[in-house]
mmCIF file of all heavy atoms in Angstrom:
data_model
loop_
_atom_site.group_PDB
_atom_site.id
_atom_site.type_symbol
_atom_site.label_atom_id
_atom_site.label_comp_id
_atom_site.label_asym_id
_atom_site.label_seq_id
_atom_site.Cartn_x
_atom_site.Cartn_y
_atom_site.Cartn_z
ATOM 1 N N SER B 145 142.269 -68.609 -3.718
ATOM 2 C CA SER B 145 143.038 -67.389 -3.971
ATOM 3 C C SER B 145 144.507 -67.527 -3.553
ATOM 4 O O SER B 145 145.386 -66.880 -4.127
ATOM 5 C CB SER B 145 142.398 -66.198 -3.254
ATOM 6 O OG SER B 145 142.374 -66.402 -1.853
ATOM 7 N N LEU B 146 144.787 -68.374 -2.559
ATOM 8 C CA LEU B 146 146.184 -68.588 -2.166
ATOM 9 C C LEU B 146 146.964 -69.231 -3.312
ATOM 10 O O LEU B 146 148.142 -68.933 -3.523
ATOM 11 C CB LEU B 146 146.259 -69.473 -0.919
ATOM 12 C CG LEU B 146 145.574 -68.928 0.342
ATOM 13 C CD1 LEU B 146 145.780 -69.887 1.510
ATOM 14 C CD2 LEU B 146 146.105 -67.536 0.689
ATOM 15 N N GLY B 147 146.288 -70.117 -4.049
ATOM 16 C CA GLY B 147 146.934 -70.728 -5.203
ATOM 17 C C GLY B 147 147.159 -69.738 -6.329
ATOM 18 O O GLY B 147 148.112 -69.860 -7.098
ATOM 19 N N ASP B 148 146.290 -68.746 -6.434
ATOM 20 C CA ASP B 148 146.449 -67.730 -7.473
ATOM 21 C C ASP B 148 147.733 -66.930 -7.295
ATOM 22 O O ASP B 148 148.315 -66.472 -8.278
ATOM 23 C CB ASP B 148 145.262 -66.760 -7.448
ATOM 24 C CG ASP B 148 144.055 -67.303 -8.180
ATOM 25 O OD1 ASP B 148 144.199 -68.277 -8.940
ATOM 26 O OD2 ASP B 148 142.955 -66.745 -7.983
ATOM 27 N N TYR B 149 148.139 -66.748 -6.046
ATOM 28 C CA TYR B 149 149.216 -65.802 -5.783
ATOM 29 C C TYR B 149 150.506 -66.383 -5.221
ATOM 30 O O TYR B 149 151.584 -66.049 -5.695
ATOM 31 C CB TYR B 149 148.707 -64.716 -4.827
ATOM 32 C CG TYR B 149 147.590 -63.892 -5.398
ATOM 33 C CD1 TYR B 149 146.288 -64.029 -4.929
ATOM 34 C CD2 TYR B 149 147.819 -63.003 -6.441
ATOM 35 C CE1 TYR B 149 145.252 -63.295 -5.468
ATOM 36 C CE2 TYR B 149 146.795 -62.255 -6.989
ATOM 37 C CZ TYR B 149 145.504 -62.407 -6.503
ATOM 38 O OH TYR B 149 144.484 -61.678 -7.051
ATOM 39 N N CYS B 150 150.422 -67.213 -4.234
ATOM 40 C CA CYS B 150 151.651 -67.462 -3.486
ATOM 41 C C CYS B 150 151.825 -68.846 -2.888
ATOM 42 O O CYS B 150 152.828 -69.084 -2.214
ATOM 43 C CB CYS B 150 151.775 -66.423 -2.362
ATOM 44 S SG CYS B 150 150.346 -66.402 -1.238
ATOM 45 N N ALA B 151 150.889 -69.766 -3.084
ATOM 46 C CA ALA B 151 151.065 -71.090 -2.478
ATOM 47 C C ALA B 151 152.297 -71.787 -3.046
ATOM 48 O O ALA B 151 153.070 -72.406 -2.315
ATOM 49 C CB ALA B 151 149.814 -71.949 -2.700
ATOM 50 N N GLY B 152 152.473 -71.685 -4.373
ATOM 51 C CA GLY B 152 153.625 -72.319 -5.012
ATOM 52 C C GLY B 152 153.303 -72.962 -6.338
ATOM 53 O O GLY B 152 153.969 -72.695 -7.345
ATOM 54 N N PRO B 153 152.298 -73.851 -6.411
ATOM 55 C CA PRO B 153 151.923 -74.440 -7.696
ATOM 56 C C PRO B 153 151.441 -73.386 -8.687
ATOM 57 O O PRO B 153 151.041 -72.290 -8.305
ATOM 58 C CB PRO B 153 150.786 -75.400 -7.319
ATOM 59 C CG PRO B 153 151.061 -75.759 -5.899
ATOM 60 C CD PRO B 153 151.598 -74.497 -5.277
ATOM 61 N N ASN B 154 151.474 -73.741 -9.965
ATOM 62 C CA ASN B 154 151.145 -72.777 -11.007
ATOM 63 C C ASN B 154 149.644 -72.520 -11.088
ATOM 64 O O ASN B 154 148.841 -73.434 -10.892
ATOM 65 C CB ASN B 154 151.651 -73.268 -12.363
ATOM 66 C CG ASN B 154 152.020 -72.120 -13.268
ATOM 67 O OD1 ASN B 154 151.152 -71.428 -13.790
ATOM 68 N ND2 ASN B 154 153.307 -71.893 -13.439
ATOM 69 N N HIS B 155 149.280 -71.292 -11.381
ATOM 70 C CA HIS B 155 147.852 -70.982 -11.515
ATOM 71 C C HIS B 155 147.386 -70.991 -12.970
ATOM 72 O O HIS B 155 146.222 -70.717 -13.256
ATOM 73 C CB HIS B 155 147.504 -69.662 -10.821
ATOM 74 C CG HIS B 155 147.869 -68.417 -11.587
ATOM 75 N ND1 HIS B 155 147.896 -67.174 -11.006
ATOM 76 C CD2 HIS B 155 148.205 -68.187 -12.876
ATOM 77 C CE1 HIS B 155 148.224 -66.254 -11.896
ATOM 78 N NE2 HIS B 155 148.415 -66.846 -13.048
ATOM 79 N N VAL B 156 148.277 -71.313 -13.906
ATOM 80 C CA VAL B 156 147.871 -71.484 -15.294
ATOM 81 C C VAL B 156 147.383 -72.923 -15.428
ATOM 82 O O VAL B 156 148.175 -73.867 -15.430
ATOM 83 C CB VAL B 156 149.022 -71.207 -16.271
ATOM 84 C CG1 VAL B 156 148.553 -71.394 -17.718
ATOM 85 C CG2 VAL B 156 149.557 -69.788 -16.064
ATOM 86 N N LEU B 157 146.064 -73.082 -15.516
ATOM 87 C CA LEU B 157 145.434 -74.393 -15.381
ATOM 88 C C LEU B 157 144.474 -74.682 -16.535
ATOM 89 O O LEU B 157 143.927 -73.757 -17.137
ATOM 90 C CB LEU B 157 144.650 -74.455 -14.062
ATOM 91 C CG LEU B 157 145.443 -74.187 -12.780
ATOM 92 C CD1 LEU B 157 144.494 -73.972 -11.608
ATOM 93 C CD2 LEU B 157 146.383 -75.354 -12.497
ATOM 94 N N PRO B 158 144.250 -75.956 -16.827
ATOM 95 C CA PRO B 158 143.294 -76.314 -17.880
ATOM 96 C C PRO B 158 141.863 -75.966 -17.485
ATOM 97 O O PRO B 158 141.464 -76.136 -16.336
ATOM 98 C CB PRO B 158 143.480 -77.827 -18.032
ATOM 99 C CG PRO B 158 144.047 -78.279 -16.721
ATOM 100 C CD PRO B 158 144.887 -77.135 -16.227
ATOM 101 N N THR B 159 141.099 -75.470 -18.444
ATOM 102 C CA THR B 159 139.711 -75.068 -18.221
ATOM 103 C C THR B 159 138.794 -75.835 -19.169
ATOM 104 O O THR B 159 139.237 -76.633 -19.993
ATOM 105 C CB THR B 159 139.531 -73.559 -18.470
ATOM 106 O OG1 THR B 159 139.847 -73.282 -19.847
ATOM 107 C CG2 THR B 159 140.442 -72.736 -17.576
ATOM 108 N N SER B 160 137.495 -75.576 -19.030
ATOM 109 C CA SER B 160 136.486 -76.113 -19.955
ATOM 110 C C SER B 160 136.589 -77.629 -20.101
ATOM 111 O O SER B 160 136.541 -78.166 -21.200
ATOM 112 C CB SER B 160 136.608 -75.439 -21.332
ATOM 113 O OG SER B 160 136.482 -74.045 -21.226
ATOM 114 N N ARG B 161 136.767 -78.317 -18.983
ATOM 115 C CA ARG B 161 136.814 -79.782 -18.899
ATOM 116 C C ARG B 161 138.076 -80.382 -19.510
ATOM 117 O O ARG B 161 138.204 -81.616 -19.606
ATOM 118 C CB ARG B 161 135.574 -80.427 -19.540
ATOM 119 C CG ARG B 161 134.242 -79.961 -18.928
ATOM 120 C CD ARG B 161 133.077 -80.843 -19.364
ATOM 121 N NE ARG B 161 133.218 -82.191 -18.794
ATOM 122 C CZ ARG B 161 133.092 -83.312 -19.507
ATOM 123 N NH1 ARG B 161 132.852 -83.254 -20.810
ATOM 124 N NH2 ARG B 161 133.220 -84.477 -18.922
ATOM 125 N N THR B 162 139.053 -79.562 -19.898
ATOM 126 C CA THR B 162 140.273 -80.106 -20.496
ATOM 127 C C THR B 162 141.212 -80.713 -19.463
ATOM 128 O O THR B 162 142.212 -81.331 -19.826
ATOM 129 C CB THR B 162 141.029 -79.034 -21.309
ATOM 130 O OG1 THR B 162 141.371 -77.943 -20.451
ATOM 131 C CG2 THR B 162 140.181 -78.522 -22.455
ATOM 132 N N ALA B 163 140.890 -80.573 -18.166
ATOM 133 C CA ALA B 163 141.684 -81.256 -17.147
ATOM 134 C C ALA B 163 141.553 -82.773 -17.273
ATOM 135 O O ALA B 163 142.304 -83.518 -16.632
ATOM 136 C CB ALA B 163 141.262 -80.807 -15.749
ATOM 137 N N ARG B 164 140.629 -83.242 -18.090
ATOM 138 C CA ARG B 164 140.529 -84.681 -18.364
ATOM 139 C C ARG B 164 141.773 -85.196 -19.077
ATOM 140 O O ARG B 164 142.082 -86.382 -18.999
ATOM 141 C CB ARG B 164 139.302 -84.965 -19.235
ATOM 142 C CG ARG B 164 137.966 -84.695 -18.564
ATOM 143 C CD ARG B 164 136.812 -84.893 -19.539
ATOM 144 N NE ARG B 164 136.850 -83.910 -20.611
ATOM 145 C CZ ARG B 164 136.935 -84.219 -21.904
ATOM 146 N NH1 ARG B 164 136.985 -85.476 -22.280
ATOM 147 N NH2 ARG B 164 136.955 -83.265 -22.807
ATOM 148 N N PHE B 165 142.479 -84.296 -19.785
ATOM 149 C CA PHE B 165 143.620 -84.770 -20.572
ATOM 150 C C PHE B 165 144.823 -83.831 -20.542
ATOM 151 O O PHE B 165 145.807 -84.078 -21.232
ATOM 152 C CB PHE B 165 143.202 -85.005 -22.034
ATOM 153 C CG PHE B 165 142.554 -83.813 -22.686
ATOM 154 C CD1 PHE B 165 143.303 -82.777 -23.197
ATOM 155 C CD2 PHE B 165 141.170 -83.736 -22.784
ATOM 156 C CE1 PHE B 165 142.706 -81.687 -23.798
ATOM 157 C CE2 PHE B 165 140.551 -82.652 -23.385
ATOM 158 C CZ PHE B 165 141.321 -81.615 -23.899
ATOM 159 N N SER B 166 144.759 -82.749 -19.782
ATOM 160 C CA SER B 166 145.895 -81.839 -19.740
ATOM 161 C C SER B 166 146.197 -81.419 -18.311
ATOM 162 O O SER B 166 145.444 -81.721 -17.383
ATOM 163 C CB SER B 166 145.638 -80.614 -20.626
ATOM 164 O OG SER B 166 144.434 -79.967 -20.255
ATOM 165 N N SER B 167 147.292 -80.701 -18.136
ATOM 166 C CA SER B 167 147.857 -80.444 -16.809
ATOM 167 C C SER B 167 148.192 -78.973 -16.626
ATOM 168 O O SER B 167 148.220 -78.201 -17.591
ATOM 169 C CB SER B 167 149.130 -81.279 -16.630
ATOM 170 O OG SER B 167 148.899 -82.643 -16.886
ATOM 171 N N PRO B 168 148.504 -78.565 -15.393
ATOM 172 C CA PRO B 168 148.925 -77.182 -15.149
ATOM 173 C C PRO B 168 150.235 -76.860 -15.868
ATOM 174 O O PRO B 168 151.038 -77.750 -16.157
ATOM 175 C CB PRO B 168 149.129 -77.142 -13.628
ATOM 176 C CG PRO B 168 148.343 -78.288 -13.092
ATOM 177 C CD PRO B 168 148.398 -79.339 -14.142
ATOM 178 N N LEU B 169 150.432 -75.586 -16.148
ATOM 179 C CA LEU B 169 151.721 -75.132 -16.669
ATOM 180 C C LEU B 169 152.800 -75.452 -15.645
ATOM 181 O O LEU B 169 152.574 -75.350 -14.438
ATOM 182 C CB LEU B 169 151.675 -73.619 -16.923
ATOM 183 C CG LEU B 169 152.883 -73.003 -17.630
ATOM 184 C CD1 LEU B 169 152.905 -73.405 -19.093
ATOM 185 C CD2 LEU B 169 152.860 -71.475 -17.509
ATOM 186 N N GLY B 170 153.970 -75.849 -16.127
ATOM 187 C CA GLY B 170 155.040 -76.189 -15.191
ATOM 188 C C GLY B 170 156.400 -76.105 -15.845
ATOM 189 O O GLY B 170 156.530 -75.784 -17.041
ATOM 190 N N THR B 171 157.412 -76.407 -15.077
ATOM 191 C CA THR B 171 158.783 -76.380 -15.577
ATOM 192 C C THR B 171 158.933 -77.265 -16.801
ATOM 193 O O THR B 171 159.642 -76.926 -17.759
ATOM 194 C CB THR B 171 159.748 -76.849 -14.476
ATOM 195 O OG1 THR B 171 159.545 -76.045 -13.306
ATOM 196 C CG2 THR B 171 161.196 -76.731 -14.913
ATOM 197 N N TYR B 172 158.267 -78.413 -16.787
ATOM 198 C CA TYR B 172 158.361 -79.361 -17.900
ATOM 199 C C TYR B 172 157.871 -78.780 -19.214
ATOM 200 O O TYR B 172 158.218 -79.275 -20.290
ATOM 201 C CB TYR B 172 157.580 -80.645 -17.569
ATOM 202 C CG TYR B 172 156.354 -80.423 -16.719
ATOM 203 C CD1 TYR B 172 155.223 -79.795 -17.227
ATOM 204 C CD2 TYR B 172 156.350 -80.817 -15.386
ATOM 205 C CE1 TYR B 172 154.116 -79.583 -16.441
ATOM 206 C CE2 TYR B 172 155.233 -80.599 -14.588
ATOM 207 C CZ TYR B 172 154.116 -79.987 -15.123
ATOM 208 O OH TYR B 172 153.009 -79.769 -14.336
ATOM 209 N N ASP B 173 157.036 -77.731 -19.172
ATOM 210 C CA ASP B 173 156.565 -77.108 -20.403
ATOM 211 C C ASP B 173 157.641 -76.266 -21.073
ATOM 212 O O ASP B 173 157.472 -75.832 -22.217
ATOM 213 C CB ASP B 173 155.342 -76.228 -20.114
ATOM 214 C CG ASP B 173 154.116 -77.046 -19.773
ATOM 215 O OD1 ASP B 173 153.652 -77.791 -20.650
ATOM 216 O OD2 ASP B 173 153.639 -76.972 -18.626
ATOM 217 N N PHE B 174 158.726 -76.019 -20.373
ATOM 218 C CA PHE B 174 159.824 -75.218 -20.924
ATOM 219 C C PHE B 174 161.086 -76.057 -21.116
ATOM 220 O O PHE B 174 162.170 -75.520 -21.309
ATOM 221 C CB PHE B 174 160.098 -74.025 -20.007
ATOM 222 C CG PHE B 174 158.913 -73.112 -19.850
ATOM 223 C CD1 PHE B 174 158.066 -73.226 -18.757
ATOM 224 C CD2 PHE B 174 158.614 -72.169 -20.818
ATOM 225 C CE1 PHE B 174 156.960 -72.405 -18.613
ATOM 226 C CE2 PHE B 174 157.506 -71.343 -20.690
ATOM 227 C CZ PHE B 174 156.680 -71.458 -19.587
ATOM 228 N N GLN B 175 160.914 -77.371 -21.049
ATOM 229 C CA GLN B 175 162.002 -78.297 -21.320
ATOM 230 C C GLN B 175 161.596 -79.224 -22.455
ATOM 231 O O GLN B 175 160.421 -79.480 -22.666
ATOM 232 C CB GLN B 175 162.313 -79.151 -20.079
ATOM 233 C CG GLN B 175 162.860 -78.357 -18.898
ATOM 234 C CD GLN B 175 163.158 -79.256 -17.711
ATOM 235 O OE1 GLN B 175 162.253 -79.867 -17.152
ATOM 236 N NE2 GLN B 175 164.420 -79.345 -17.329
ATOM 237 N N LYS B 176 162.595 -79.730 -23.181
ATOM 238 C CA LYS B 176 162.346 -80.672 -24.262
ATOM 239 C C LYS B 176 163.077 -81.976 -23.964
ATOM 240 O O LYS B 176 164.071 -81.998 -23.243
ATOM 241 C CB LYS B 176 162.859 -80.140 -25.599
ATOM 242 C CG LYS B 176 162.188 -78.860 -26.064
ATOM 243 C CD LYS B 176 162.718 -78.426 -27.422
ATOM 244 C CE LYS B 176 164.137 -77.898 -27.359
ATOM 245 N NZ LYS B 176 165.190 -78.895 -27.418
ATOM 246 N N ARG B 177 162.581 -83.054 -24.555
ATOM 247 C CA ARG B 177 163.200 -84.365 -24.424
ATOM 248 C C ARG B 177 163.734 -84.813 -25.772
ATOM 249 O O ARG B 177 163.010 -84.778 -26.769
ATOM 250 C CB ARG B 177 162.193 -85.393 -23.903
ATOM 251 C CG ARG B 177 161.554 -85.031 -22.584
ATOM 252 C CD ARG B 177 160.541 -86.073 -22.123
ATOM 253 N NE ARG B 177 159.468 -86.290 -23.093
ATOM 254 C CZ ARG B 177 158.388 -85.535 -23.187
ATOM 255 N NH1 ARG B 177 158.237 -84.492 -22.380
ATOM 256 N NH2 ARG B 177 157.451 -85.803 -24.075
ATOM 257 N N SER B 178 164.986 -85.209 -25.805
ATOM 258 C CA SER B 178 165.572 -85.818 -26.993
ATOM 259 C C SER B 178 165.953 -87.251 -26.648
ATOM 260 O O SER B 178 166.584 -87.491 -25.618
ATOM 261 C CB SER B 178 166.827 -85.062 -27.449
ATOM 262 O OG SER B 178 166.515 -83.737 -27.817
ATOM 263 N N SER B 179 165.563 -88.185 -27.503
ATOM 264 C CA SER B 179 165.931 -89.579 -27.266
ATOM 265 C C SER B 179 167.412 -89.791 -27.582
ATOM 266 O O SER B 179 167.936 -89.228 -28.552
ATOM 267 C CB SER B 179 165.093 -90.508 -28.149
ATOM 268 O OG SER B 179 163.721 -90.369 -27.869
ATOM 269 N N LEU B 180 168.081 -90.595 -26.786
ATOM 270 C CA LEU B 180 169.481 -90.952 -26.996
ATOM 271 C C LEU B 180 169.573 -92.421 -27.379
ATOM 272 O O LEU B 180 169.011 -93.286 -26.701
ATOM 273 C CB LEU B 180 170.301 -90.709 -25.728
ATOM 274 C CG LEU B 180 170.411 -89.259 -25.241
ATOM 275 C CD1 LEU B 180 171.163 -89.205 -23.914
ATOM 276 C CD2 LEU B 180 171.101 -88.386 -26.278
ATOM 277 N N ILE B 181 170.276 -92.711 -28.488
ATOM 278 C CA ILE B 181 170.434 -94.090 -28.964
ATOM 279 C C ILE B 181 171.873 -94.263 -29.446
ATOM 280 O O ILE B 181 172.311 -93.555 -30.362
ATOM 281 C CB ILE B 181 169.475 -94.404 -30.129
ATOM 282 C CG1 ILE B 181 168.027 -94.030 -29.767
ATOM 283 C CG2 ILE B 181 169.566 -95.875 -30.531
ATOM 284 C CD1 ILE B 181 167.082 -94.036 -30.948
ATOM 285 N N GLN B 182 172.611 -95.138 -28.824
ATOM 286 C CA GLN B 182 173.957 -95.489 -29.283
ATOM 287 C C GLN B 182 174.058 -97.012 -29.291
ATOM 288 O O GLN B 182 174.239 -97.644 -28.247
ATOM 289 C CB GLN B 182 175.039 -94.883 -28.379
ATOM 290 C CG GLN B 182 176.453 -95.196 -28.857
ATOM 291 C CD GLN B 182 177.510 -94.519 -28.006
ATOM 292 O OE1 GLN B 182 177.283 -93.437 -27.469
ATOM 293 N NE2 GLN B 182 178.671 -95.165 -27.892
ATOM 294 N N VAL B 183 173.909 -97.575 -30.490
ATOM 295 C CA VAL B 183 173.867 -99.030 -30.625
ATOM 296 C C VAL B 183 175.286 -99.579 -30.718
ATOM 297 O O VAL B 183 176.108 -99.095 -31.508
ATOM 298 C CB VAL B 183 173.056 -99.435 -31.876
ATOM 299 C CG1 VAL B 183 173.012 -100.952 -32.029
ATOM 300 C CG2 VAL B 183 171.633 -98.884 -31.765
ATOM 301 N N SER B 184 175.571 -100.593 -29.942
ATOM 302 C CA SER B 184 176.881 -101.249 -29.980
ATOM 303 C C SER B 184 176.979 -102.160 -31.200
ATOM 304 O O SER B 184 175.964 -102.470 -31.855
ATOM 305 C CB SER B 184 177.082 -102.077 -28.708
ATOM 306 O OG SER B 184 176.161 -103.168 -28.688
#
């Protein structure tokens, strides 16, 4: 219950055995990655 409310880590978590391949909600879920390529 401490994790549900105030410990700090996110309480939005994978269920139904999906923790085998997925992770808790986090800052990274609201960021995107763009590859940078500048060839000389």
Side-chain angles (χ1 to χ4, degrees):
S145 61
L146 299 182
D148 278 345
Y149 297 108
C150 57
N154 211 286
H155 78 194
V156 180
L157 303 167
T159 62
S160 303
R161 303 193 67 228
T162 59
R164 294 175 294 121
F165 54 81
S166 55
S167 306
L169 187 72
T171 305
Y172 33 71
D173 289 296
F174 300 97
Q175 294 180 296
K176 298 182 288 85
R177 303 179 302 277
S178 297
S179 300
L180 296 175
I181 308 168
Q182 182 176 329
V183 180
S184 67

